[in-house]
Amino acid sequence: MFTSISNFVGKFRRFSRRCCLINLTGRCIASSSVNNNRSERNSVVFLRAREYKDRVAIVDSNGSHSYERILFLSQAIGNSILQRIRGRDLSGRCVAFLCPNDVSYVATQWAIWRNGGIAVPLCNSHPTSMYDYMIQDCNADLVISSSDYAPKLEPLARGQEVTIMFLTDVDQVLTSANQMLSSEELTAVEMTEQCWDERDAMIVYTSGTTGQPKGVLSTHGNLRDEPHPSLFMAVPTIYSKLIEHYGKENLTKEEKEKIRFRCEQLRLMVSGSAALPEPVMKRWKEITGHTLLERYGMTEIGMALSNPLRGPRLAGSVGTPLPGTEVRVVTENVDGEKEVIAEGNEHGSHVSSFNEGREGEFQVRGPSVFKCYWNKPDATRETFTEDGWFKTGDTAAYANGVYSILGRTSVDIIKSGGYKISALEVERHLLSHNDIVDCAVLGKPDPVWGERVAAIVTLSPGKKLSLEDLKRWSSGFMVPYQIPSVLLVVEELPRNTMGKVNKKELRTVYFGKE
């Protein structure tokens, strides 16, 4: 079923790099009292925006947009939503939205929040089948989108009970909105809600590297409390691709100098969402002068650990806890009981005797930790301890004052001949090989060893590499049980939209079902 918000957003297409994405979840506007006498603790970005309505909120490819403009647009979208559902508010309903990376994205998200709904953003690079799964999983019966994505969404409207509202041109809606609406006007929810912190705000789906994506439900309080570094942030794959581009033979010396100059203008460059290979970190510093700041986070927890803004940034480490976050490393003792071997917060960490560097399950607790997995009570219950710690599913260790993530316990910890081997550590070594461009290390099931260390690699154009060559090269600096005993050379490693490799799928494709 299709409807249209006549004459709405279609003109804008892309955020400028100067755009402050933090505005989307309400962490950018300076602290201040709120006009409607709600406490700062329970205020949200669209309420505080009225105090800064003349200030620039977003810069996209078509120009700048004030907070007042976003309030107008969100009010217009919200009115259309309420007309469609024939109600005073959304009453906690999920509304999915698929918008370009421009002002329409923010205005749509605000419209959903201001009218009491849960915003479910969809990724524009996903296939239709993934939209179908997410829309059904969160029970959304309304999708807001740009007509640009009509070919992807039309099959969904035909196949299930879902309404799709398309946005079109912004100028005429702004003209009418300026005449009809006031940026001071409050929605029914804004006038009555007394505790925004507890109100459900957004469902973001996990990347699905270890199974079907799960909908992570966060409250407005979760979103506001999550620490959020700014400036340039990317996954390691992006940095690898940029390094590859920089190394192209057709780039002139002047073009390379221009790239370096532009990077030098940035105050901070951050890497996250996957382990940062040490060779990438070193090469990026050589090219740009920036030592990438690696940090650790998940959809479920926001960001929990970070290397320091000022101070040494250690390769292979994700630093220390961010403010408001508690972390711990848990293992089993000889009696099979859970034992905390390292624990800490922003003020410091301590490790029990003789356990420095010992690996265990990484757990997190704090205000930015999500509320639950949407419609999956069993998964939620299994992933939290009785005392409220979130079990990340990652294996970690604490040593020399910093935490290191050794990988996903289910796929990145290879158990071979009694040894526990970090696939990420092996990958870091392999990526220092001059001919290896990309790699994934995983455990191949083996009846004798349990698992064998298997490396799937892509090589530089025209290069060849045999298993014997790799073993000979590795023997100089890797312990014997870490050295791959299986080598596969492929043209390209498949990655998802987050730049991550799904190792479970790789294992099935290349080594068959376990």
Side-chain angles (χ1 to χ4, degrees), residues 437-473:
V437 175
D438 197 5
C439 74
V441 172
L442 57 151
K444 177 185 178 183
D446 185 89
V448 176
W449 297 97
E451 290 181 310
R452 296 168 66 191
V453 180
I456 304 173
V457 306
T458 62
L459 302 176
S460 300
K463 300 297 182 179
K464 294 182 179 181
L465 182 67
S466 68
L467 179 59
E468 290 307 314
D469 291 336
L470 181 62
K471 286 182 174 180
R472 193 179 309 111
W473 174 84

Side-chain angles (χ1 to χ4, degrees), residues 260-383:
R260 181 180 177 90
F261 174 77
R262 288 186 174 178
C263 288
E264 287 175 344
Q265 307 312 301
L266 295 170
R267 184 176 61 88
L268 180 66
M269 306 189 85
V270 180
S271 177
S273 296
L276 175 65
E278 187 173 354
V280 174
M281 185 179 186
K282 288 182 176 178
R283 182 59 179 142
W284 191 257
K285 182 174 177 60
E286 291 172 359
I287 294 172
T288 68
H290 277 277
T291 299
L292 292 174
L293 187 148
E294 187 173 9
R295 86 295 188 269
Y296 170 83
M298 300 175 67
T299 306
E300 290 91 337
I301 63 174
M303 278 181 278
L305 300 167
S306 178
N307 274 279
L309 178 63
R310 297 176 180 84
R313 301 173 189 173
L314 304 178
S317 156
V318 287
T320 56
L322 288 165
T325 303
E326 299 175 82
V327 302
R328 68 184 188 183
V329 180
V330 179
T331 189
E332 287 188 358
N333 60 25
V334 292
D335 299 321
E337 299 174 341
K338 295 293 184 182
E339 177 186 356
V340 178
I341 57 177
E343 186 170 2
N345 55 32
E346 62 185 288
H347 303 296
S349 296
H350 65 272
V351 60
S352 57
S353 299
F354 309 109
N355 281 318
E356 180 153 345
R358 186 181 173 190
E359 64 189 42
E361 180 184 55
F362 190 63
Q363 300 181 358
V364 178
R365 186 168 65 180
S368 66
V369 175
F370 76 122
K371 181 178 180 179
C372 65
Y373 288 121
W374 183 259
N375 280 346
K376 290 180 172 59
D378 292 340
T380 301
R381 189 163 45 250
E382 291 170 4
T383 202

Side-chain angles (χ1 to χ4, degrees), residues 94 164 448:
C94 290
I164 301 176
V448 176

Side-chain angles (χ1 to χ4, degrees), residues 26-71:
R27 292 184 293 269
C28 187
I29 301 178
S31 297
S32 154
S33 60
V34 179
N35 288 337
N36 58 3
N37 295 322
R38 288 170 174 78
S39 70
E40 177 65 26
R41 177 79 181 162
N42 289 324
S43 66
V44 282
V45 63
F46 40 85
L47 292 179
R48 300 199 305 276
R50 291 168 175 81
E51 299 179 33
Y52 305 91
K53 58 186 181 181
D54 294 329
R55 293 189 185 179
V56 173
I58 288 174
V59 178
D60 63 19
S61 59
N62 195 65
S64 61
H65 308 274
S66 66
Y67 286 104
E68 184 171 49
R69 173 177 281 233
I70 299 176
L71 286 169

Side-chain angles (χ1 to χ4, degrees), residues 393-466:
D394 286 325
T395 296
Y398 178 79
N400 302 316
V402 294
Y403 291 86
S404 297
I405 302 299
L406 305 180
R408 298 296 290 171
T409 305
S410 58
V411 292
D412 286 323
I413 304 301
I414 301 169
K415 299 176 181 179
S416 180
Y419 292 103
K420 289 184 179 180
I421 304 163
S422 167
L424 302 187
E425 187 174 346
V426 178
E427 288 169 2
R428 289 189 186 102
H429 285 306
L430 296 184
L431 286 169
S432 65
H433 191 292
N434 290 334
D435 297 337
I436 295 178
V437 175
D438 197 5
C439 74
V441 172
L442 57 151
K444 177 185 178 183
D446 185 89
V448 176
W449 297 97
E451 290 181 310
R452 296 168 66 191
V453 180
I456 304 173
V457 306
T458 62
L459 302 176
S460 300
K463 300 297 182 179
K464 294 182 179 181
L465 182 67
S466 68

